[in-house]
Coordinates of all heavy atoms in Angstrom, one line a residue:
M1 N -26.2 -4.4 19.2 CA -25.0 -3.7 19.7 C -23.8 -3.9 18.8 O -23.5 -5.1 18.5 CB -24.8 -4.1 21.1 CG -23.6 -3.3 21.7 SD -23.6 -3.8 23.6 CE -22.1 -3.0 24.0
Q2 N -23.1 -2.9 18.4 CA -22.0 -3.1 17.5 C -20.7 -3.1 18.3 O -20.5 -2.3 19.2 CB -22.0 -1.8 16.6 CG -21.0 -2.0 15.5 CD -21.1 -0.8 14.5 OE1 -21.7 0.2 14.8 NE2 -20.5 -1.0 13.3
S3 N -19.8 -4.0 18.0 CA -18.6 -4.2 18.7 C -17.5 -3.4 18.0 O -17.5 -3.4 16.8 CB -18.2 -5.7 18.6 OG -16.9 -5.9 19.2
N4 N -16.6 -2.8 18.8 CA -15.5 -2.0 18.2 C -14.2 -2.8 18.1 O -13.2 -2.4 17.7 CB -15.2 -0.8 19.0 CG -16.3 0.3 18.8 OD1 -17.0 0.3 17.8 ND2 -16.5 1.1 19.9
Q5 N -14.4 -4.2 18.5 CA -13.3 -5.0 18.5 C -12.9 -5.3 17.0 O -13.7 -5.6 16.2 CB -13.5 -6.4 19.2 CG -12.4 -7.3 19.4 CD -12.8 -8.5 20.2 OE1 -13.9 -8.7 20.6 NE2 -11.8 -9.4 20.3
M6 N -11.5 -5.3 16.7 CA -11.0 -5.5 15.4 C -11.1 -7.0 15.0 O -10.8 -7.8 15.9 CB -9.5 -5.0 15.3 CG -9.1 -5.0 13.9 SD -7.3 -4.3 13.7 CE -6.9 -3.5 15.2
Q7 N -11.5 -7.3 13.8 CA -11.6 -8.7 13.4 C -10.4 -9.0 12.6 O -9.7 -8.1 12.0 CB -12.8 -8.8 12.5 CG -14.1 -8.6 13.2 CD -14.4 -9.6 14.3 OE1 -14.3 -10.8 14.2 NE2 -14.9 -9.2 15.5
A8 N -9.9 -10.3 12.6 CA -8.8 -10.7 11.8 C -9.1 -10.6 10.4 O -10.3 -10.8 10.0 CB -8.4 -12.2 12.2
I9 N -8.2 -10.2 9.6 CA -8.4 -10.0 8.1 C -8.4 -11.5 7.5 O -7.6 -12.3 8.0 CB -7.4 -9.1 7.3 CG1 -6.0 -9.6 7.5 CG2 -7.6 -7.7 7.9 CD1 -5.0 -8.7 6.8
T10 N -9.1 -11.6 6.5 CA -9.1 -13.0 5.8 C -7.9 -13.1 4.9 O -7.2 -12.1 4.6 CB -10.4 -13.2 5.0 OG1 -10.3 -12.2 3.9 CG2 -11.6 -12.9 5.8
G11 N -7.7 -14.3 4.5 CA -6.5 -14.6 3.5 C -6.7 -13.8 2.2 O -5.8 -13.2 1.7
K12 N -8.0 -13.7 1.7 CA -8.3 -13.0 0.5 C -8.1 -11.5 0.7 O -7.5 -10.8 -0.2 CB -9.8 -13.2 0.2 CG -10.1 -12.8 -1.2 CD -9.3 -13.6 -2.2 CE -10.0 -13.7 -3.6 NZ -9.2 -14.4 -4.5
E13 N -8.5 -10.9 1.9 CA -8.1 -9.5 2.2 C -6.7 -9.2 2.2 O -6.2 -8.2 1.7 CB -8.8 -9.1 3.5 CG -10.3 -9.1 3.4 CD -11.0 -8.9 4.8 OE1 -10.4 -9.4 5.7 OE2 -12.1 -8.3 4.8
L14 N -5.9 -10.2 2.7 CA -4.5 -10.0 2.8 C -3.9 -10.1 1.4 O -3.0 -9.2 1.2 CB -3.8 -11.1 3.7 CG -2.3 -11.0 3.8 CD1 -1.8 -9.7 4.5 CD2 -1.9 -12.2 4.7
E15 N -4.4 -10.9 0.5 CA -3.9 -10.9 -0.8 C -4.2 -9.6 -1.5 O -3.4 -9.2 -2.3 CB -4.7 -12.1 -1.6 CG -4.1 -13.5 -1.2 CD -4.9 -14.5 -2.0 OE1 -5.4 -14.3 -3.1 OE2 -5.0 -15.7 -1.4
Y16 N -5.4 -9.0 -1.3 CA -5.7 -7.7 -1.9 C -4.8 -6.7 -1.4 O -4.2 -5.8 -2.2 CB -7.2 -7.3 -1.5 CG -8.2 -8.2 -2.2 CD1 -9.4 -8.4 -1.5 CD2 -8.1 -8.6 -3.6 CE1 -10.4 -9.2 -2.3 CE2 -9.1 -9.4 -4.2 CZ -10.2 -9.6 -3.6 OH -11.3 -10.2 -4.1
I17 N -4.4 -6.7 -0.1 CA -3.6 -5.6 0.4 C -2.2 -5.9 -0.2 O -1.5 -4.8 -0.7 CB -3.5 -5.7 1.8 CG1 -4.8 -5.2 2.4 CG2 -2.4 -4.8 2.4 CD1 -5.0 -5.4 4.0
V18 N -1.6 -7.0 -0.3 CA -0.3 -7.3 -0.8 C -0.3 -7.0 -2.4 O 0.7 -6.3 -2.9 CB 0.1 -8.8 -0.7 CG1 1.3 -9.2 -1.5 CG2 0.3 -9.1 0.8
D19 N -1.3 -7.3 -3.1 CA -1.5 -6.8 -4.5 C -1.4 -5.4 -4.6 O -0.8 -4.8 -5.5 CB -2.7 -7.4 -5.2 CG -2.6 -8.9 -5.4 OD1 -1.5 -9.5 -5.4 OD2 -3.7 -9.5 -5.7
S20 N -2.1 -4.6 -3.7 CA -2.1 -3.2 -3.8 C -0.7 -2.6 -3.5 O -0.3 -1.7 -4.2 CB -3.1 -2.6 -2.8 OG -4.4 -3.0 -3.1
I21 N 0.0 -3.2 -2.6 CA 1.4 -2.7 -2.3 C 2.2 -2.9 -3.5 O 3.0 -2.1 -3.9 CB 2.0 -3.4 -1.1 CG1 1.1 -2.9 0.2 CG2 3.4 -3.2 -0.9 CD1 1.5 -3.7 1.5
S22 N 2.1 -4.1 -4.1 CA 2.8 -4.4 -5.3 C 2.5 -3.4 -6.4 O 3.5 -3.0 -7.2 CB 2.6 -5.8 -5.8 OG 3.3 -6.1 -6.9
N23 N 1.3 -3.2 -6.6 CA 0.8 -2.2 -7.7 C 1.4 -0.8 -7.4 O 1.9 -0.1 -8.4 CB -0.7 -2.2 -7.8 CG -1.2 -3.5 -8.5 OD1 -0.5 -4.2 -9.0 ND2 -2.4 -3.8 -8.2
E24 N 1.3 -0.3 -6.2 CA 1.8 0.9 -5.8 C 3.3 1.1 -6.1 O 3.8 2.1 -6.6 CB 1.5 1.3 -4.4 CG 0.0 1.5 -4.1 CD -0.6 2.8 -4.5 OE1 0.2 3.8 -4.7 OE2 -1.8 2.9 -4.6
D25 N 4.0 0.0 -5.7 CA 5.5 -0.1 -5.9 C 5.8 0.0 -7.5 O 6.8 0.8 -7.8 CB 6.1 -1.3 -5.3 CG 7.5 -1.4 -5.4 OD1 8.2 -0.4 -4.9 OD2 8.1 -2.4 -5.9
L26 N 5.1 -0.6 -8.3 CA 5.3 -0.6 -9.7 C 5.0 0.8 -10.3 O 5.8 1.3 -11.0 CB 4.4 -1.6 -10.4 CG 4.5 -1.6 -11.9 CD1 5.9 -1.9 -12.4 CD2 3.5 -2.6 -12.6
L27 N 4.0 1.5 -9.8 CA 3.7 2.8 -10.2 C 4.8 3.8 -9.8 O 5.2 4.7 -10.5 CB 2.3 3.3 -9.7 CG 1.2 2.6 -10.3 CD1 -0.1 3.0 -9.6 CD2 1.0 3.0 -11.8
I28 N 5.3 3.6 -8.6 CA 6.5 4.4 -8.1 C 7.6 4.3 -9.1 O 8.3 5.3 -9.5 CB 6.9 4.0 -6.6 CG1 5.8 4.5 -5.7 CG2 8.3 4.7 -6.3 CD1 5.9 4.0 -4.2
K29 N 8.0 3.1 -9.4 CA 9.1 2.8 -10.3 C 8.9 3.4 -11.7 O 9.8 4.1 -12.3 CB 9.4 1.3 -10.5 CG 9.9 0.7 -9.2 CD 10.0 -0.8 -9.3 CE 10.6 -1.4 -8.0 NZ 10.5 -2.8 -7.9
Q30 N 7.7 3.4 -12.2 CA 7.4 3.9 -13.5 C 7.4 5.4 -13.4 O 7.9 6.1 -14.4 CB 6.0 3.5 -13.9 CG 6.0 2.0 -14.4 CD 4.6 1.5 -14.6 OE1 3.6 2.0 -14.2 NE2 4.4 0.4 -15.4
C31 N 6.9 6.1 -12.4 CA 7.0 7.5 -12.2 C 8.4 8.0 -12.0 O 8.8 9.0 -12.7 CB 6.2 8.0 -11.0 SG 4.4 8.1 -11.3
A32 N 9.2 7.2 -11.3 CA 10.6 7.6 -11.1 C 11.3 7.6 -12.5 O 12.2 8.4 -12.8 CB 11.3 6.7 -10.1
A33 N 11.0 6.5 -13.3 CA 11.7 6.4 -14.6 C 11.2 7.6 -15.6 O 12.1 8.1 -16.2 CB 11.3 5.1 -15.2
T34 N 10.0 8.0 -15.4 CA 9.4 9.1 -16.1 C 10.1 10.4 -15.8 O 10.6 11.1 -16.6 CB 7.9 9.2 -16.1 OG1 7.3 8.0 -16.6 CG2 7.4 10.4 -16.9
A35 N 10.2 10.6 -14.5 CA 10.8 11.8 -14.0 C 12.3 11.9 -14.4 O 12.8 13.0 -14.8 CB 10.8 11.9 -12.5
A36 N 13.0 10.7 -14.4 CA 14.4 10.7 -14.8 C 14.6 10.9 -16.3 O 15.6 11.4 -16.8 CB 15.0 9.4 -14.4
A37 N 13.6 10.5 -17.1 CA 13.7 10.6 -18.6 C 13.3 11.9 -19.2 O 13.7 12.2 -20.3 CB 12.8 9.5 -19.2
T38 N 12.5 12.7 -18.5 CA 12.1 14.0 -19.0 C 13.0 15.2 -18.5 O 13.6 15.1 -17.6 CB 10.6 14.3 -18.6 OG1 10.1 15.4 -19.2 CG2 10.5 14.5 -17.1
Q39 N 13.0 16.1 -19.5 CA 13.7 17.4 -19.1 C 12.8 18.5 -18.7 O 13.1 19.5 -18.3 CB 14.5 17.8 -20.4 CG 15.5 16.8 -20.9 CD 16.5 16.6 -19.9 OE1 17.1 17.6 -19.2 NE2 17.0 15.4 -19.6
N40 N 11.5 18.1 -18.7 CA 10.4 19.1 -18.3 C 10.3 19.2 -16.8 O 9.9 18.2 -16.2 CB 9.1 18.6 -19.0 CG 8.0 19.7 -18.8 OD1 7.9 20.2 -17.6 ND2 7.2 19.9 -19.8
P41 N 10.7 20.2 -16.2 CA 10.6 20.4 -14.7 C 9.1 20.3 -14.1 O 9.0 19.7 -13.0 CB 11.1 21.8 -14.4 CG 11.4 22.4 -15.7 CD 11.1 21.5 -16.8
T42 N 8.1 20.6 -14.9 CA 6.8 20.5 -14.4 C 6.4 19.0 -14.2 O 5.8 18.6 -13.3 CB 5.7 21.2 -15.4 OG1 6.2 22.6 -15.4 CG2 4.4 21.1 -14.8
I43 N 6.8 18.2 -15.3 CA 6.5 16.7 -15.3 C 7.3 16.1 -14.2 O 6.8 15.3 -13.5 CB 6.8 16.1 -16.7 CG1 5.8 16.7 -17.7 CG2 6.7 14.6 -16.6 CD1 6.0 16.2 -19.1
Q44 N 8.6 16.5 -14.0 CA 9.4 16.0 -13.0 C 8.7 16.3 -11.6 O 8.6 15.4 -10.7 CB 10.8 16.5 -13.0 CG 11.7 16.1 -14.2 CD 12.9 16.8 -14.3 OE1 13.1 17.9 -13.8 NE2 13.9 16.1 -15.0
Q45 N 8.3 17.4 -11.4 CA 7.6 17.9 -10.1 C 6.4 17.0 -9.8 O 6.2 16.5 -8.8 CB 7.3 19.3 -10.1 CG 6.7 19.7 -8.8 CD 6.4 21.2 -8.8 OE1 6.4 21.9 -9.8 NE2 6.1 21.8 -7.6
V46 N 5.5 16.9 -10.9 CA 4.3 16.1 -10.7 C 4.7 14.7 -10.4 O 3.9 14.0 -9.5 CB 3.4 16.3 -12.0 CG1 2.3 15.2 -12.0 CG2 2.9 17.7 -12.1
C47 N 5.6 14.1 -11.1 CA 5.9 12.7 -10.8 C 6.4 12.5 -9.4 O 6.1 11.6 -8.7 CB 7.1 12.2 -11.8 SG 6.4 12.0 -13.5
Q48 N 7.2 13.5 -8.8 CA 7.7 13.4 -7.5 C 6.5 13.5 -6.5 O 6.5 12.9 -5.5 CB 8.9 14.5 -7.3 CG 10.1 14.2 -8.0 CD 10.7 12.9 -7.7 OE1 10.8 12.4 -6.6 NE2 11.2 12.3 -8.7
Q49 N 5.6 14.3 -6.8 CA 4.5 14.5 -5.9 C 3.6 13.2 -5.9 O 3.2 12.8 -4.8 CB 3.5 15.7 -6.3 CG 4.2 17.0 -6.0 CD 3.4 18.1 -6.7 OE1 2.5 17.9 -7.6 NE2 3.6 19.4 -6.3
Y50 N 3.5 12.6 -7.1 CA 2.8 11.4 -7.2 C 3.5 10.3 -6.4 O 2.8 9.4 -5.7 CB 2.5 11.1 -8.7 CG 1.4 10.0 -8.9 CD1 0.2 10.2 -8.5 CD2 1.7 8.8 -9.6 CE1 -0.8 9.2 -8.7 CE2 0.7 7.9 -9.8 CZ -0.5 8.1 -9.4 OH -1.5 7.1 -9.6
I51 N 4.8 10.2 -6.6 CA 5.6 9.2 -5.8 C 5.4 9.4 -4.3 O 5.2 8.4 -3.6 CB 7.0 9.3 -6.2 CG1 7.3 8.8 -7.6 CG2 8.0 8.5 -5.2 CD1 8.7 9.1 -8.2
R52 N 5.4 10.6 -3.8 CA 5.2 10.8 -2.3 C 3.8 10.3 -2.0 O 3.6 9.7 -0.9 CB 5.4 12.3 -2.0 CG 6.8 12.7 -1.9 CD 7.0 14.1 -1.4 NE 6.4 15.1 -2.1 CZ 7.0 15.8 -3.1 NH1 8.2 15.4 -3.6 NH2 6.4 16.7 -3.8
S53 N 2.8 10.6 -2.8 CA 1.4 10.1 -2.6 C 1.4 8.6 -2.5 O 0.7 8.0 -1.6 CB 0.5 10.7 -3.6 OG -0.9 10.2 -3.4
M54 N 2.0 8.0 -3.4 CA 2.0 6.5 -3.5 C 2.8 5.9 -2.3 O 2.4 4.9 -1.7 CB 2.5 6.0 -4.8 CG 1.5 6.2 -5.9 SD 2.1 5.6 -7.5 CE 3.2 6.9 -8.0
D55 N 3.9 6.5 -1.8 CA 4.6 6.1 -0.7 C 3.7 6.2 0.5 O 3.7 5.3 1.4 CB 5.8 7.0 -0.4 CG 7.0 6.6 -1.2 OD1 7.1 5.5 -1.7 OD2 7.9 7.4 -1.5
H56 N 2.9 7.2 0.6 CA 1.9 7.3 1.8 C 0.9 6.2 1.7 O 0.6 5.6 2.7 CB 1.3 8.7 1.7 CG 0.3 8.9 2.8 ND1 0.6 9.0 4.1 CD2 -1.1 9.0 2.8 CE1 -0.5 9.2 4.9 NE2 -1.5 9.2 4.1
H57 N 0.4 5.9 0.5 CA -0.6 4.8 0.3 C 0.1 3.4 0.8 O -0.6 2.7 1.5 CB -1.0 4.6 -1.1 CG -1.8 5.7 -1.7 ND1 -2.0 6.0 -3.0 CD2 -2.4 6.8 -1.0 CE1 -2.7 7.1 -3.1 NE2 -2.9 7.5 -2.0
I58 N 1.3 3.2 0.4 CA 2.0 2.0 0.9 C 2.1 2.0 2.4 O 1.8 0.9 3.0 CB 3.3 1.8 0.2 CG1 3.2 1.6 -1.2 CG2 4.2 0.7 0.9 CD1 4.5 1.5 -2.1
D59 N 2.5 3.1 3.0 CA 2.6 3.1 4.4 C 1.2 2.8 5.1 O 1.2 2.1 6.1 CB 3.0 4.5 4.9 CG 4.5 4.9 4.5 OD1 5.3 3.9 4.2 OD2 4.8 6.0 4.6
L60 N 0.1 3.3 4.6 CA -1.1 3.0 5.1 C -1.5 1.5 5.0 O -2.0 1.0 5.9 CB -2.2 3.8 4.4 CG -2.2 5.4 4.7 CD1 -3.2 6.1 3.8 CD2 -2.4 5.7 6.2
L61 N -1.2 0.9 3.9 CA -1.4 -0.5 3.6 C -0.7 -1.3 4.6 O -1.1 -2.3 5.2 CB -1.2 -0.9 2.2 CG -2.3 -0.3 1.2 CD1 -1.6 -0.5 -0.2 CD2 -3.6 -0.9 1.3
V62 N 0.7 -1.0 4.8 CA 1.5 -1.7 5.7 C 0.9 -1.6 7.1 O 1.0 -2.4 7.9 CB 3.0 -1.2 5.6 CG1 3.8 -1.8 6.7 CG2 3.6 -1.6 4.3
Q63 N 0.6 -0.3 7.5 CA 0.0 -0.2 8.8 C -1.2 -1.0 9.1 O -1.5 -1.6 10.2 CB -0.4 1.3 9.0 CG 0.8 2.2 9.3 CD 0.3 3.7 9.4 OE1 -0.8 4.0 9.5 NE2 1.3 4.6 9.1
A64 N -2.1 -1.2 8.1 CA -3.3 -2.0 8.1 C -2.9 -3.4 8.5 O -3.5 -4.1 9.3 CB -4.1 -2.0 6.9
I65 N -1.9 -3.9 7.8 CA -1.4 -5.3 8.0 C -0.8 -5.4 9.5 O -1.1 -6.4 10.1 CB -0.3 -5.7 7.0 CG1 -0.9 -5.8 5.6 CG2 0.4 -7.0 7.5 CD1 0.0 -6.1 4.5
Q66 N 0.0 -4.4 9.9 CA 0.5 -4.4 11.2 C -0.5 -4.4 12.3 O -0.3 -5.1 13.4 CB 1.5 -3.3 11.3 CG 2.8 -3.5 10.5 CD 3.7 -2.3 10.5 OE1 3.3 -1.2 10.8 NE2 5.0 -2.5 10.2
Q67 N -1.6 -3.6 12.1 CA -2.6 -3.6 13.0 C -3.3 -4.9 13.2 O -3.8 -5.2 14.3 CB -3.6 -2.5 12.7 CG -3.1 -1.0 12.9 CD -4.1 -0.1 12.4 OE1 -5.1 -0.3 11.7 NE2 -3.8 1.2 12.6
H68 N -3.3 -5.6 12.2 CA -4.1 -7.0 12.3 C -3.1 -8.1 12.7 O -3.5 -9.2 12.9 CB -4.7 -7.3 10.9 CG -5.9 -6.4 10.7 ND1 -5.9 -5.2 10.2 CD2 -7.2 -6.7 11.0 CE1 -7.1 -4.7 10.2 NE2 -8.0 -5.6 10.6
Q69 N -1.8 -7.9 12.8 CA -0.9 -9.0 12.9 C -1.1 -9.7 14.3 O -1.1 -10.9 14.3 CB 0.6 -8.4 12.9 CG 1.5 -9.4 13.0 CD 3.1 -8.8 12.9 OE1 3.2 -7.7 12.8 NE2 4.0 -9.7 12.8
P70 N -1.5 -8.9 15.3 CA -1.7 -9.7 16.6 C -3.0 -10.7 16.5 O -3.1 -11.6 17.3 CB -2.0 -8.6 17.6 CG -1.4 -7.4 17.1 CD -1.5 -7.5 15.6
L71 N -3.8 -10.4 15.5 CA -5.0 -11.3 15.4 C -4.7 -12.5 14.5 O -5.5 -13.3 14.3 CB -6.1 -10.5 14.8 CG -6.6 -9.2 15.5 CD1 -7.6 -8.4 14.8 CD2 -7.1 -9.6 16.9
A72 N -3.6 -12.5 13.8 CA -3.3 -13.5 12.9 C -3.1 -14.9 13.6 O -2.5 -14.9 14.8 CB -1.9 -13.3 12.1
P73 N -3.5 -15.9 13.1 CA -3.2 -17.3 13.7 C -1.7 -17.5 13.8 O -0.9 -17.1 13.0 CB -3.8 -18.3 12.8 CG -4.2 -17.5 11.5 CD -4.1 -16.1 11.8
T74 N -1.3 -18.3 14.9 CA 0.2 -18.5 15.1 C 0.6 -19.7 14.3 O 1.7 -20.0 14.2 CB 0.4 -18.7 16.6 OG1 -0.5 -19.8 17.0 CG2 0.2 -17.5 17.4
S75 N -0.4 -20.5 13.8 CA 0.0 -21.7 12.9 C -0.9 -21.6 11.6 O -2.0 -21.1 11.7 CB -0.1 -23.0 13.6 OG -1.5 -23.2 13.9
P76 N -0.4 -22.2 10.6 CA -1.2 -22.2 9.3 C -2.5 -22.8 9.5 O -2.7 -23.8 10.2 CB -0.3 -23.0 8.3 CG 1.1 -23.0 8.9 CD 0.9 -22.9 10.4
Q77 N -3.6 -22.3 8.9 CA -4.9 -22.8 8.8 C -5.0 -24.0 7.9 O -4.3 -23.9 6.9 CB -5.9 -21.7 8.5 CG -5.9 -20.6 9.4 CD -6.5 -21.0 10.8 OE1 -7.6 -21.6 10.8 NE2 -5.8 -20.6 11.8
Q78 N -5.7 -25.0 8.3 CA -5.8 -26.1 7.4 C -7.3 -26.4 6.9 O -8.2 -26.0 7.6 CB -5.3 -27.4 8.1 CG -3.8 -27.2 8.2 CD -3.1 -28.5 8.5 OE1 -3.5 -29.5 7.9 NE2 -2.1 -28.5 9.2

């Protein structure tokens, strides 16, 4: 029988999520810089669309962390 109960994420999984958020943030900054540096409206539009997509990815990652927050230990593990 399979349980639908959510399991706490591991420290390693949390590190992966934090790294992913950091990487998405860096890509957003690079796309914003590219959009600001170009005069080509098509490139600007594509960069803005990509930024919105990455913002959505960050939102999903943050939601994943928030959903698991109640399962987190209240004191550091030793």
Side-chain angles (χ1 to χ4, degrees):
M1 183 170 172
Q2 190 175 11
S3 173
N4 289 335
Q5 186 176 1
M6 192 177 345
Q7 299 293 315
I9 59 176
T10 66
K12 194 63 158 175
E13 290 168 328
L14 181 59
E15 287 178 30
Y16 288 143
I17 293 171
V18 170
D19 285 346
S20 294
I21 291 171
S22 178
N23 292 337
E24 294 283 339
D25 186 55
L26 178 59
L27 289 171
I28 288 171
K29 290 175 183 172
Q30 290 173 335
C31 281
T34 300
T38 187
Q39 298 299 316
N40 185 319
T42 303
I43 294 175
Q44 290 173 339
Q45 182 181 12
V46 169
C47 286
Q48 291 303 321
Q49 290 172 343
Y50 196 57
I51 288 169
R52 284 191 295 275
S53 174
M54 287 181 283
D55 276 335
H56 180 69
H57 294 161
I58 289 175
D59 289 343
L60 292 173
L61 292 167
V62 169
Q63 285 175 18
I65 292 173
Q66 289 172 338
Q67 288 174 349
H68 286 85
Q69 187 175 9
L71 301 173
T74 55
S75 60
Q77 298 291 313
Q78 297 202 30

